[in-house]
């Protein structure tokens, strides 16, 4: 098929709509939403749109932190990672994203798992560790917020 994955997904507006739906699903999902209690959601959405836009060949620059630094200390489990991917698939299905585009996008995200999952367990709904939850904003996160 022709064109970048970015173009085939429908460009920035389509990606923004996809991220809105995806984040709403994650926020409502008790398997993972405890991890987001201290998160600035609008900022997260902007970063996700930029990340997906850039990774799929679009004209965006992701300015957020790298995946290992971002998720360090959250104690994200394998089960929680899978739950998040499940929500993304549900969103892509709702937007009728084709199978080829879907697997290309999921394929691009798969290598990030190693930087995000800290606990190899199927458990879901785990709390943020206190050390993460109570950590004062670092210079890096304060500047981003
Ligand atoms: C392929 C999977 C994932 C991708 C691509 C991804 C991507 C991102 C990005 C781009 C950010 C913003 C970076 C920044 O703040 O500078 C972020 C933040 C965050 N992610 Fe993920 N993420 C993934 C999986 C997960 C999972 C499985 C969880 C937990 C269940 C999670 C929890 C969070 C939280 C809580 C934040 C906000 C951090 C903060 O408030 O400072 N992520 N993620």
């Amino acid at each position: 098929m022709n064109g970048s994955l970015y173009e085939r997904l429908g460009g920035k507006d389509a990606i923004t709509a996809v991220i809105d739906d995806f984040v709403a699903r994650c926020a409502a999902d008790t398997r993972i939403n405890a991890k987001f209690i201290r998160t600035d959601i609008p900022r997260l959405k902007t970063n996700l749109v930029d990340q997906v836009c850039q990774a799929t060949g679009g004209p965006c620059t992701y300015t957020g932190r790298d995946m290992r630094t971002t998720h360090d200390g959250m104690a994200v489990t394998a089960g929680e990672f899978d739950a998040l991917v499940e929500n993304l698939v549900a969103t892509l299905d709702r937007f009728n994203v084709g199978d080829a585009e879907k697997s290309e996008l999921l394929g691009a995200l798969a290598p990030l798992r190693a930087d995000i999952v800290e606990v190899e367990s199927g458990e879901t709904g785990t709390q943020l560790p206190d050390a993460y939850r109570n950590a004062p904003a670092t210079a890096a996160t304060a500047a981003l917020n």
Side-chain angles (χ1 to χ4, degrees):
M1 209 180 280
N2 293 321
S4 64
L5 179 55
Y6 171 80
E7 283 165 9
R8 284 178 283 132
L9 287 172
K12 186 111 182 223
D13 287 350
I15 290 173
T16 303
V18 161
I19 295 299
D20 278 347
D21 183 271
F22 166 64
V23 171
R25 279 176 205 272
C26 291
D29 185 346
T30 55
R31 295 175 299 172
I32 54 176
N33 60 12
K35 299 293 191 195
F36 293 91
I37 50 168
R38 51 154 275 192
T39 296
D40 174 343
I41 297 293
R43 193 184 142 255
L44 173 65
K45 281 188 187 177
T46 303
N47 275 325
L48 288 171
V49 170
D50 285 345
Q51 185 190 43
V52 171
C53 171
Q54 178 174 309
T56 55
C60 307
T61 305
Y62 172 66
T63 58
R65 297 163 289 166
D66 68 69
M67 291 298 93
R68 184 174 292 276
T69 307
T70 298
H71 301 91
D72 184 36
M74 283 185 198
V76 171
T77 68
E80 288 161 350
F81 185 88
D82 291 347
L84 179 139
V85 171
E86 209 179 287
N87 290 336
L88 181 58
V89 169
T91 292
L92 297 174
D93 285 343
R94 174 163 176 221
F95 283 82
N96 296 314
V97 171
D99 283 344
E101 285 73 20
K102 211 161 64 179
S103 47
E104 213 173 313
L105 184 59
L106 295 173
L109 297 180
L112 303 176
R113 183 190 188 282
D115 287 340
I116 294 169
V117 172
E118 293 181 327
V119 183
E120 281 299 342
S121 135
E123 208 181 344
T124 57
T126 68
Q127 300 297 308
L128 274 178
D130 284 346
Y132 182 94
R133 193 164 58 221
N134 302 326
T138 62
T141 56
L144 289 165
N145 276 319

